[in-house]
């Protein structure tokens, strides 16, 4: 194979007991007597048939690709690497396994951001920087020692840092990506989890800043997703460390909480000279929090490339355009475009459901919700926005029949398809079997084109539901919701754990499904751009979180978005080059001007 190509075999997808080794039998070098595709040897534990591995020295590369086409389980990738990759990888997990090129550079007194798709090596890079994984420079069969690694990075900004890693002089605090798994690993009161982390003596201040003092006496398994996210942040930031790694700081947080976290991280970097590395998919928050930015790109699960640092604004814009200027590299065939449409006018479609004033209370002294009576119209997408703990999910559960209202009755004749905020999957079945059980359209041309392809389900169809990552579960849950026949589709926080491209694809899939199927959809989310792109009208929730919520009747997008952001005292502007929403610095001239004009988002 050419030096700029790699072969990857996904051993989770390779199922030799269900095929006839088509890859091996049809391989042109194999048919001439060479040993290009061979067997790895019988699995000693399972006693099953042999999986395959591919000799990259013999393989003809992507120009052949016969094994890729012949594999019935899509388990093989032959990929031509970009010619710009002159060096060997920083790390490769093994033959026919994932390879990472490049590493981010932590900077004292700065927040370094990483932006890229899931599966592109961001976690591998952080494991190396944290000293959990020793880089092998691609020599997985005979890994080099630290002296050779340091020689490779001699003269770069990473040399001193990796030297400290080698010597054990780097302490790391990490916030995990999937905070909803914390209750599976810790059983007890929140205070019992947090108190041992207070190595800097700042626990009380962090709890106050993030407004979660009230959860200290609660059991971890009783916390909401937003509370778990803030607890995880506090547990990480309270530690005394040289390097803080924060993997996705926004899932389950409302926009006000996201801005608070961003400001907190910036203060840690600037005032305490801390080094922070943040992986984030909310572009507005990444723009606000990061001082510099690395782009991650490649083929998810096959190889990843971490670029040299860029300015945040240019880096995000290059990523969206799909072309990296300094690297002279196209990383995506099409640009991710942010529509700069004027706010949509409210439609005058027929009414699907007219609901009266509603009230739901969880008991004396507990949270209560009041909902103004309103209408949900046929063939519209109704966006729902508001702070956490204000009753949005309660309203969805009332509509879905999961809760009964204390006052006011809802039409129980409606067929509802509901994707809850927290996805719990414990069924030991494959993705394709699960989805096919929901609809007669599974596998049809329409279902593949409008649901499976936009949500990128093809490569996970044969995986078990219980083995899916958070982002994969989210995409399957969205597909499951849209696959059912219903009068109303309710999706609660569909953007959680999706990367930028997946969010755009999911948003367009939901919007297109509504238009093509004349479907009525209600979407609850904290990603402001997602809500703007998908919605026809907006329902705004306000009140006092965890105490009392109030939902106004649905209104037009301009009025609704301005009401929502005015309550939060946050204004957005549009980037002049790509049109993406950017948060204005509080108190800036543009912030003050937009507030005076009453235009908090549409400028």
């Amino acid at each position: 194979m050419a030096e700029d190509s790699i072969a990857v075999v996904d051993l989770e997808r390779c199922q030799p007991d269900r095929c006839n080794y088509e890859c091996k039998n049809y391989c042109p070098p194999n048919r001439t007597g060479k040993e290009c595709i061979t067997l790895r040897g019988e699995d000693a534990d399972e006693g099953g048939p042999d999986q395959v591995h591919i000799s990259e020295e013999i393989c003809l590369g992507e120009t052949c690709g016969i094994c890729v086409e012949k594999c019935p389980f899509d388990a093989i990738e032959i990929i031509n690497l970009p010619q710009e990759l002159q060096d060997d990888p920083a790390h490769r997990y093994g033959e026919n396994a994932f390879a990472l090129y490049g590493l981010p550079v932590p900077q004292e007194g700065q927040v370094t951001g990483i932006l890229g798709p899931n599966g592109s090596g961001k976690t591998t890079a952080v494991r190396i920087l944290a000293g959990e994984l020793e880089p092998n420079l691609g020599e997985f069969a005979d890994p080099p020692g630290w002296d050779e690694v340091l020689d490779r990075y001699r003269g770069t900004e990473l040399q001193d840092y990796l030297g400290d890693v080698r010597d054990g002089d780097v302490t790391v605090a990490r916030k995990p990506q999937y905070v909803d798994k914390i209750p599976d690993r810790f059983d007890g009161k929140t205070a019992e989890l947090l108190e041992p982390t207070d190595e800097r003596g700042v626990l009380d201040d962090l709890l106050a800043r993030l407004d979660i003092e009230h959860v200290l006496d609660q059991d971890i398994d009783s916390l909401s997703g937003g509370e778990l996210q803030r607890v995880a942040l506090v547990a990480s930031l309270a530690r005394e460390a040289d390097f803080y790694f924060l993997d996705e700081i926004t899932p389950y947080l409302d926009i006000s909480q996201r801005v608070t976290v961003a400001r907190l991280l910036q203060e840690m970097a600037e005032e305490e000279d801390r080094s922070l590395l943040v992986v984030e998919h909310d572009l507005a928050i990444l723009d606000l929090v990061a001082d510099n930015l690395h782009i991650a790109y490649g083929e998810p699960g096959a190889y990843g490339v971490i670029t040299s640092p860029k300015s945040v604004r240019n880096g995000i814009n290059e990523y969206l355009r799909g072309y990296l200027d300094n690297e002279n590299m196209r990383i995506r065939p099409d640009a991710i475009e942010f529509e700069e449409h004027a706010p949509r006018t409210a439609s005058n479609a027929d009414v699907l459901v007219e609901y009266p004033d509603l009230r739901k209370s969880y008991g004396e002294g507990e949270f209560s919700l009041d909902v103004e009576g309103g209408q949900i119209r046929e063939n519209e997408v109704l966006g729902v926005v508001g702070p956490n703990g204000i009753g949005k999910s309660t309203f969805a559960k009332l509509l879905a029949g999961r809760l009964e209202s204390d006052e006011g009755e809802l039409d129980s004749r409606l067929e509802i398809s509901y994707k809850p905020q927290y996805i719990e999957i414990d069924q030991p079945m494959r993705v394709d079997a699960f989805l096919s059980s929901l609809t007669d359209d599974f596998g049809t041309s329409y279902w593949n084109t409008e649901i499976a392809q936009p949500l990128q389900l093809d490569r996970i169809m044969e995986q078990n539901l219980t083995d899916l990552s958070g982002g994969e579960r989210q995409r399957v849950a969205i597909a499951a919701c849209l696959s059912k026949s219903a009068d109303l589709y309710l999706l609660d926080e569909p953007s959680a754990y999706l990367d930028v491209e997946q969010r755009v694809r999911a948003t367009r899939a939901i919007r297109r499904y509504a238009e093509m199927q004349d479907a009525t959809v209600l979407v609850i989310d904290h990603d402001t751009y997602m809500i703007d792109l998908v919605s026809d009208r907006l329902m705004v929730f306000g009140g006092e979180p965890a105490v009392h919520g109030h939902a106004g009747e649905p209104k037009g997008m301009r009025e609704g978005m301005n009401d929502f952001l005015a309550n939060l005292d946050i204004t957005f502007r549009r980037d002049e080059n790509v049109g993406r929403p950017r948060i204005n610095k509080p108190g800036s001239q543009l912030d003050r001007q937009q507030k005076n004009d009453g235009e908090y988002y549409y400028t």
Side-chain angles (χ1 to χ4, degrees):
M1 184 185 288
E3 292 184 359
D4 57 354
S5 298
I6 63 172
V8 178
V9 178
D10 187 334
L11 297 181
E12 291 185 359
R13 300 179 62 85
C14 181
Q15 301 183 48
D17 56 334
R18 298 175 57 199
C19 76
N20 295 310
Y21 292 113
E22 286 88 348
C23 58
K24 177 177 179 289
N25 295 331
Y26 283 94
C27 172
N30 275 33
R31 299 181 76 171
T32 63
K34 298 178 181 178
E35 293 187 346
C36 179
I37 299 182
T38 55
L39 305 184
R40 291 177 178 264
E42 183 170 305
D43 188 309
D45 295 326
E46 301 294 336
D50 302 339
Q51 293 180 300
V52 302
H53 69 80
I54 301 172
S55 169
E56 293 180 344
E57 289 74 21
I58 300 174
C59 178
L60 300 178
E62 194 173 348
T63 53
C64 171
I66 290 177
C67 58
V68 176
E69 296 297 325
K70 291 296 182 181
C71 177
F73 306 111
D74 197 22
I76 298 174
E77 290 187 85
I78 308 294
I79 300 167
N80 287 340
L81 296 174
Q83 293 182 354
E84 288 76 5
L85 294 181
Q86 302 288 336
D87 297 327
D88 291 328
H91 188 78
R92 192 169 188 189
Y93 283 98
E95 188 174 19
N96 304 153
F98 181 85
L100 174 67
Y101 295 80
L103 290 171
V105 183
Q107 300 280 355
E108 288 188 7
Q110 293 191 358
V111 179
T112 299
I114 305 182
L115 173 61
N118 292 329
S120 58
K122 300 185 294 294
T123 300
T124 296
V126 169
R127 289 187 63 204
I128 292 173
L129 296 180
E132 299 172 5
L133 181 67
E134 190 170 325
N136 60 23
L137 308 184
E139 300 296 331
F140 49 85
D142 184 21
W146 268 112
D147 289 343
E148 190 173 341
V149 171
L150 293 178
D151 189 60
R152 160 79 173 272
Y153 291 98
R154 190 173 305 281
T156 71
E157 294 179 282
L158 275 170
Q159 181 183 355
D160 290 341
Y161 181 88
L162 291 176
D164 290 338
V165 170
R166 176 198 60 183
D167 298 335
D169 293 336
V170 173
T171 55
V172 178
R174 294 183 61 176
K175 188 205 80 68
Q177 180 181 18
Y178 301 121
V179 297
D180 48 355
K181 293 184 178 180
I182 293 176
D184 297 334
R185 301 171 184 171
F186 180 85
D187 183 19
K189 302 291 185 183
T190 303
E192 296 171 0
L193 171 66
L194 291 179
E195 287 170 358
T197 70
D198 191 21
E199 298 169 353
R200 299 197 294 125
V202 295
L203 181 60
D204 291 341
D205 179 59
L206 290 173
L207 290 169
R209 289 284 299 273
L210 296 180
D211 192 25
I212 52 167
E213 302 103 320
H214 62 280
V215 306
L216 285 176
D217 294 328
Q218 296 182 28
D219 291 332
I220 281 288
D221 60 7
S222 71
L223 303 188
S224 69
E227 290 167 339
L228 283 172
Q229 184 70 264
R230 286 175 285 164
V231 165
L233 283 162
V234 168
S236 303
L237 300 179
R239 293 194 177 278
E240 181 65 56
D242 301 304
F243 171 47
Y244 296 82
F245 168 60
L246 307 162
D247 197 346
E248 296 196 34
I249 60 176
T250 63
Y252 304 127
L253 298 187
D254 63 46
I255 188 170
S256 179
Q257 293 165 341
R258 295 178 183 199
V259 171
T260 296
V261 171
R263 291 172 180 164
L264 175 61
L265 300 185
Q266 269 290 322
E267 289 174 15
M268 277 190 64
E270 294 174 1
E271 298 174 8
E272 303 179 33
D273 207 29
R274 303 280 175 173
S275 174
L276 297 94
L277 185 66
V278 175
V279 173
E280 183 50 54
H281 300 300
D282 184 322
L283 297 182
I285 296 302
L286 186 62
D287 192 13
L288 189 66
V289 72
D291 297 297
N292 58 78
L293 183 68
H294 295 268
I295 301 297
Y297 67 94
E299 290 286 338
Y303 79 94
V305 182
I306 307 289
T307 69
S308 299
K310 301 172 179 287
S311 72
V312 178
R313 179 174 178 270
N314 288 341
I316 292 177
N317 288 353
E318 287 179 20
Y319 181 79
L320 293 174
R321 286 196 298 265
Y323 182 79
L324 306 181
D325 292 338
N326 291 342
E327 292 78 6
N328 191 26
M329 169 63 58
R330 178 154 295 283
I331 62 173
R332 191 187 317 106
D334 301 308
I336 296 176
E337 296 181 349
F338 286 77
E339 297 180 5
E340 297 181 66
H341 56 70
R344 285 176 289 278
T345 57
S347 67
N348 294 311
D350 293 337
V351 175
L352 173 70
V353 56
E354 183 167 1
Y355 53 88
D357 290 350
L358 301 171
R359 179 173 177 79
K360 176 63 182 178
S361 174
Y362 287 90
E364 186 175 352
E366 301 292 330
F367 176 79
S368 64
L369 171 67
D370 289 307
V371 180
E372 292 183 24
Q375 299 174 340
I376 301 176
R377 297 171 182 161
E378 292 182 355
N379 312 333
E380 78 167 341
V381 180
L382 178 62
V384 179
V385 296
N388 272 332
I390 210 70
K392 302 185 302 299
S393 294
T394 295
F395 177 65
K397 291 176 182 177
L398 290 172
L399 288 177
R402 303 287 181 94
L403 291 175
E404 291 188 6
S405 61
D406 301 328
E407 298 177 16
E409 292 187 7
L410 287 162
D411 189 345
S412 60
R413 296 169 298 176
L414 288 177
E415 289 289 334
I416 307 290
S417 182
Y418 175 51
K419 187 206 82 67
Q421 181 181 17
Y422 307 119
I423 303 166
E424 296 182 2
I425 296 178
D426 54 9
Q427 302 178 60
M429 62 189 305
R430 291 186 355 173
V431 171
D432 52 2
F434 170 66
L435 293 175
S436 66
S437 70
L438 303 177
T439 176
D440 293 334
D441 291 332
F442 179 80
T444 63
S445 175
Y446 172 82
W447 192 90
N448 285 330
T449 302
E450 301 299 335
I451 296 179
Q453 291 179 14
L455 295 174
Q456 298 176 304
L457 300 179
D458 54 326
R459 290 193 59 81
I460 62 174
M461 280 295 188
E462 295 184 351
Q463 292 188 34
N464 288 321
L465 293 169
T466 52
D467 295 333
L468 300 179
S469 69
E472 290 167 344
R473 289 187 178 201
Q474 189 69 263
R475 282 145 51 203
V476 169
I478 295 171
C481 181
L482 298 181
S483 294
K484 300 174 184 176
S485 177
D487 300 308
L488 177 63
Y489 297 84
L490 305 180
L491 295 109
D492 196 346
E493 201 155 347
S495 73
Y497 298 128
L498 300 186
D499 64 38
V500 174
E501 295 178 55
Q502 291 167 346
R503 290 183 187 198
V504 171
R505 284 174 170 269
T507 302
R508 290 175 177 167
I510 294 167
R511 179 74 205 177
R512 183 172 172 83
Y513 183 87
E515 293 173 348
M516 297 293 290
Q517 295 296 102
D518 292 332
T520 303
V521 183
L522 185 145
V523 177
I524 302 170
D525 211 276
H526 294 301
D527 187 306
T528 306
Y529 172 66
M530 184 178 198
I531 284 291
D532 179 45
L533 182 62
V534 79
S535 305
D536 295 302
R537 293 192 300 157
L538 207 59
M539 190 172 180
V540 180
F541 281 63
E544 185 178 352
V547 178
H548 175 72
H550 176 268
E553 62 179 342
K555 56 185 65 176
M557 289 298 294
R558 182 189 293 274
E559 182 184 0
M561 194 66 80
N562 282 332
D563 286 351
F564 169 54
L565 294 177
N567 290 337
L568 300 175
D569 199 33
I570 295 171
T571 60
F572 281 78
R573 68 188 185 279
R574 298 277 185 178
D575 183 88
E576 60 187 17
N577 291 329
V578 297
R580 63 182 171 89
R582 305 180 68 189
I583 298 175
N584 288 322
K585 195 170 186 178
S588 66
Q589 180 179 351
L590 191 55
D591 179 62
R592 297 195 306 270
Q593 178 183 331
Q594 287 184 218
K595 288 175 180 175
N596 288 335
D597 295 341
E599 293 291 352
Y600 285 74
Y601 188 72
Y602 297 107
T603 58

